[in-house]
Amino acid sequence: MPSMLIVDDNPQVRRLVRGITNDLSDEFFECEDGDEVLAAFGRHVPDWIVMDVEMARMDGIEATKILMAAHPAAKVIIMTKHNDTITRLAAVAAGAYAFCGKDDLLLLRTLIADDGKSANC
């Protein structure tokens, strides 16, 4: 089973994502801000990164750009409450593998279970 890094400044959202995907991953790692992602990725090399957009020190779009420049094979799923075209385009431009609105995080299960063969959320 794949491993997962969950990046969100809200511990309740991290628990929610972990609960929704608990049977799809054998290892979970967590960060609370985008500026922690590179170090966490290097330590754990997760199969999936589920990343929020809005965080205090470094947002998820910028963190995704930096992560993808250093690790182009990383699979980042951007999740956000800002489910709009501008945010989706920014996620794609940053190199995100997929995009999910926080209004329907159950779609994360489909994407991860299908190992990325599904369409974006």
Side-chain angles (χ1 to χ4, degrees), residues 73-89:
K75 294 180 192 173
V76 178
I77 300 172
I78 293 288
M79 66 172 177
T80 182
K81 65 182 179 182
H82 303 289
N83 196 353
D84 57 70
T85 303
I86 292 171
T87 306
R88 283 179 176 269
L89 291 174

Side-chain angles (χ1 to χ4, degrees), residues 1-7 18 25-32 36-49 67 71 74-75:
M1 284 204 295
S3 58
M4 186 181 308
L5 173 62
I6 304 167
V7 187
R18 191 177 193 147
S25 181
D26 54 357
E27 286 186 287
F28 289 91
F29 310 102
E30 296 182 10
C31 293
E32 60 183 44
E36 302 171 3
V37 170
L38 271 183
F41 187 90
R43 279 192 310 274
H44 306 296
V45 192
D47 297 296
W48 293 96
I49 300 100
L67 179 66
H71 303 281
K75 294 180 192 173

Side-chain angles (χ1 to χ4, degrees), residues 50-71:
V50 179
M51 181 140 29
D52 187 19
V53 170
E54 226 172 80
M55 294 178 283
R57 294 182 299 273
M58 181 183 294
D59 71 57
I61 300 295
E62 186 63 27
T64 299
K65 285 180 196 174
I66 293 168
L67 179 66
M68 296 309 295
H71 303 281

